[in-house]
Amino acid sequence: MGPESFADFYRAKRILVTGGAGFLGSFLCEKLLAAGAEVLSVDNYFTGRRANIAHLISNPMFEAMRHDVTMSLFVEVDAIFNFACPASPVHYQFDPVATTKVSVHGAINMLGLAKRLKCPILQASTSEVYGDPTVHPQTEDYWGNVNPIGPRACYDEGKRCAETLFFDYQRQHRVAIKVMRIFNTYGPRMHENDGRVVSNFVISALRGEPITIYGTGAQTRSFCYVDDLVDAALQLMATPADVTGPINVGNPNECTILDLARKIIELTGSSSKLVFQPAPQDDPKQRKPDISLARSVLEWQPTIGLDEGLRKTIAYFERRLVEGDLKR
Ligand code: NAD
Ligand code: UDP
């Protein structure tokens, strides 16, 4: 389904976006409004920012509700994007019990809502369900290599349990589910203090401060620009009911963390030096999505390369630095 047919699917539909004030959620709200939908953002602002959705507030088709998805929610909508959950290791390890609760209780509440409303629901799952993968690149049929008791487990196992719930609600209650496994995504509106590699490196480079590499920097990730990711989510929701996923979405253009640092230094013209610190426990050594399924089922593939995406991200953080709006 091409982008032009999105609008037919979303026009005049009421769409709930949980985590709507977050990095990905705010772009999703924006694109849904552009596609003619009425959008309800539900967020407790744990890691999201009102500033991310401030420009949408005056739109009569947009509504922002403060609510914690671990509590029941009674609203009437036609489709649900379940994006509420802290996403960076720093944020999801801040209160690990809350992370498992938002993943599991949040999923149960939103699936219950979808069951009552008989509406489709899309889960923002993650490449972390593959843990430190022994299969490379990762395909959807790989069951993963997750440490169930380590510091990343609150997120990894929370998201794995959420996937279990999605498929059980589908088998047991016939809920129309869509499970999207999102690989590292970056862009404007990433939280400046979430410790994720792209925002960390860009902000350090712009400030001329040392760029900190955890481990040797030989570990790899594959970075997808936010616009591409959100387009895939919109397309997945609009697929027929028999398309459930799980489906990998990301940019298969793999790079080492060291190369990413060098590229950001080059693009910012920074004089930052590289410093090395020990790798965090259970840090995955490699990550790259196999997106054959997304290519065939969604007719989707990323269109924005790393240089172009990084330039847009750098411009965003540069503007916030100039405005004195970046907190340490
Ligand atoms: P984010 O932290 O910017 O957004 C998450 C949003 O959820 C925030 O606005 C936060 O306030 C909200 N939230 C957290 N707990 C909540 C609760 N209990 N009730 C209501 N709202 C709550 O992160 P993001 O990068 O936009 O991630 C969005 C989703 O995508 C998450 O589910 C994440 O796991 C998933 N994901 C993101 C990436 C990525 O690279 N960005 C990769 C894989 C998966
Ligand atoms: N990383 C790093 N320096 C930083 C932040 C992250 O070297 O300032 C590394 C981190 O150890 C990991 C990779 O970059 O190997 C991606 O980290 P991020 O937290 O962005 O995402 P995730 O590990 O969840 O993929």
Side-chain angles (χ1 to χ4, degrees):
M1 177 181 290
E4 64 288 346
S5 46
F6 279 177
D8 295 338
F9 181 85
Y10 291 106
R11 191 171 301 121
K13 283 215 172 84
R14 297 160 304 174
I15 312 289
L16 167 60
V17 180
T18 75
F23 161 48
L24 300 181
S26 60
F27 281 97
L28 193 50
C29 291
E30 207 173 280
K31 288 205 181 211
L32 283 163
L33 289 167
E38 208 177 298
V39 178
L40 172 62
S41 159
V42 164
D43 204 298
N44 70 349
Y45 304 104
F46 174 52
T47 53
R49 301 182 338 130
R50 264 165 294 240
N52 288 343
I53 50 169
H55 61 298
L56 306 178
I57 298 288
S58 62
N59 187 329
M61 301 285 272
F62 180 74
E63 188 180 348
M65 179 192 287
R66 175 190 278 271
H67 176 80
D68 183 328
V69 294
T70 62
M71 308 291 166
S72 303
L73 177 68
F74 296 93
V75 293
E76 309 302 314
V77 291
D78 301 308
I80 304 169
F81 287 90
N82 189 33
F83 275 60
C85 185
S88 78
V90 167
H91 281 157
Y92 68 64
Q93 290 169 10
F94 172 77
D95 184 346
V97 174
T99 300
T100 303
K101 279 186 184 167
V102 64
S103 299
V104 176
H105 295 182
I108 291 171
N109 288 333
M110 293 310 111
L111 283 161
L113 184 60
K115 179 182 153 201
R116 174 174 70 79
L117 298 174
K118 297 186 174 44
C119 78
I121 177 167
L122 183 149
Q123 167 70 352
S125 190
T126 169
S127 53
E128 286 281 328
V129 300
Y130 301 123
D132 188 4
T134 54
V135 167
H136 194 75
Q138 292 78 56
T139 44
E140 290 85 353
D141 56 2
Y142 175 51
W143 290 355
N145 177 37
V146 173
N147 173 0
I149 58 167
R152 296 175 89 100
C154 57
Y155 183 73
D156 299 12
E157 298 291 15
K159 289 286 191 177
R160 286 169 68 95
C161 184
E163 286 201 9
T164 306
L165 285 161
F166 267 68
F167 279 87
D168 281 335
Y169 267 77
Q170 190 236 358
R171 283 185 287 258
Q172 201 176 328
H173 300 301
R174 303 276 154 237
V175 172
I177 60 154
K178 315 274 178 197
V179 174
M180 179 165 92
R181 291 186 179 152
I182 304 172
F183 284 65
N184 295 66
T185 302
Y186 70 100
R189 300 191 204 142
M190 293 182 85
H191 197 291
E192 64 268 27
N193 291 328
D194 71 3
R196 278 190 269 200
V197 68
V198 173
S199 44
N200 264 14
F201 285 6
V202 167
I203 293 170
S204 297
L206 288 173
R207 286 183 169 144
E209 293 173 355
I211 288 182
T212 308
I213 294 185
Y214 304 145
T216 61
Q219 70 270 38
T220 67
R221 295 292 187 273
S222 308
F223 296 100
C224 184
Y225 188 68
V226 58
D227 263 341
D228 281 333
L229 191 285
V230 170
D231 285 347
L234 291 171
Q235 289 191 205
L236 179 56
M237 178 65 96
T239 51
D242 62 336
V243 178
T244 60
I247 187 161
N248 289 339
V249 177
N251 190 324
N253 195 356
E254 185 181 13
C255 84
T256 67
I257 295 305
L258 200 53
D259 284 344
L260 177 74
R262 292 193 179 120
K263 189 179 274 300
I264 289 175
I265 287 177
E266 182 195 315
L267 292 175
T268 50
S270 173
S271 56
S272 290
K273 300 277 174 289
L274 303 182
V275 296
F276 292 82
Q277 279 185 10
Q281 190 190 328
D282 298 335
D283 196 14
K285 287 178 273 308
Q286 52 182 0
R287 185 182 289 154
K288 171 181 173 169
D290 180 319
I291 58 163
S292 315
L293 193 61
R295 280 200 170 101
S296 64
V297 173
L298 306 180
E299 295 173 29
W300 171 90
Q301 60 181 0
T303 58
I304 298 172
L306 189 56
D307 282 43
E308 187 187 349
L310 284 176
R311 279 199 187 90
K312 292 172 194 268
T313 310
I314 290 165
Y316 167 79
F317 282 115
E318 207 161 27
R319 202 189 64 237
R320 289 194 53 201
L321 265 178
V322 169
E323 289 167 357
D325 178 39
L326 279 188
K327 294 190 204 82
R328 287 209 182 247

